[in-house]
């Protein structure tokens, strides 16, 4: 069987939590539209449509190029360096935030005008 590992993707690393690490830690603005997971270290950050774009910022600052969706039912990988989608391996569970967690989220911190604040 061929080696199917992709450099920069570590299937054994679990996600860092169930919401954007920086937003939950109090970084402005403190809410997200969708979530992304670093495929190298498990960092959970907010997507590029979110006001703070923490996932891509993490990718650029850490050198961890591969992000994957942390949304229920999505299983794609994105390489922030090449700007290409990839098929990748299954990652350590969970594969998404809890289904009960609202999108956008987290509950109670999303402004009423959130749609106008998206990128």
């Amino acid at each position: 069987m061929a080696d199917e590992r992709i450099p920069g993707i570590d299937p054994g690393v679990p996600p860092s939590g169930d919401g954007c690490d920086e937003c939950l830690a109090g970084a402005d603005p403190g809410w997200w539209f969708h979530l992304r997971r670093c495929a190298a270290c498990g960092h959970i950050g907010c997507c590029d449509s979110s006001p703070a774009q923490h996932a891509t910022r993490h990718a650029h600052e850490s050198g961890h190029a591969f992000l994957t969706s942390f949304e229920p039912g999505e299983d794609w990988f994105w390489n922030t360096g090449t700007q290409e989608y990839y098929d990748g391996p299954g990652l350590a569970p969970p594969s998404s935030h809890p289904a009960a967690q609202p999108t956008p989220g987290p509950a109670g911190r999303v402004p009423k005008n959130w749609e106008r604040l998206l990128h």
Side-chain angles (χ1 to χ4, degrees):
M1 179 173 174
D3 184 357
E4 296 181 18
R5 291 182 290 175
I6 298 172
I9 297 178
D10 185 342
V13 176
S16 60
D18 54 6
C20 174
D21 292 344
E22 289 83 3
C23 288
L24 291 173
D28 189 38
W31 65 276
W32 57 81
F33 181 50
H34 288 134
L35 296 171
R36 305 296 179 240
R37 175 181 178 176
C38 176
C41 72
H43 173 271
I44 301 299
C46 49
C47 73
D48 284 353
S49 293
S50 299
Q53 305 173 343
H54 287 125
T56 297
R57 183 178 307 162
H58 167 80
H60 292 294
E61 291 176 356
S62 67
H64 299 163
F66 285 97
L67 298 175
T68 188
S69 178
F70 201 56
E71 295 297 320
E74 296 183 4
D75 64 357
W76 49 262
F77 287 81
W78 176 254
N79 184 314
T80 61
T82 64
Q83 302 288 293
E84 296 176 304
Y85 284 102
Y86 282 75
D87 290 325
L91 301 178
S95 61
S96 69
H97 64 77
Q101 180 177 298
T103 301
R109 291 174 61 182
V110 180
K112 291 183 194 247
N113 66 339
W114 66 268
E115 290 171 312
R116 294 193 322 193
L117 302 173
L118 296 177
H119 290 266

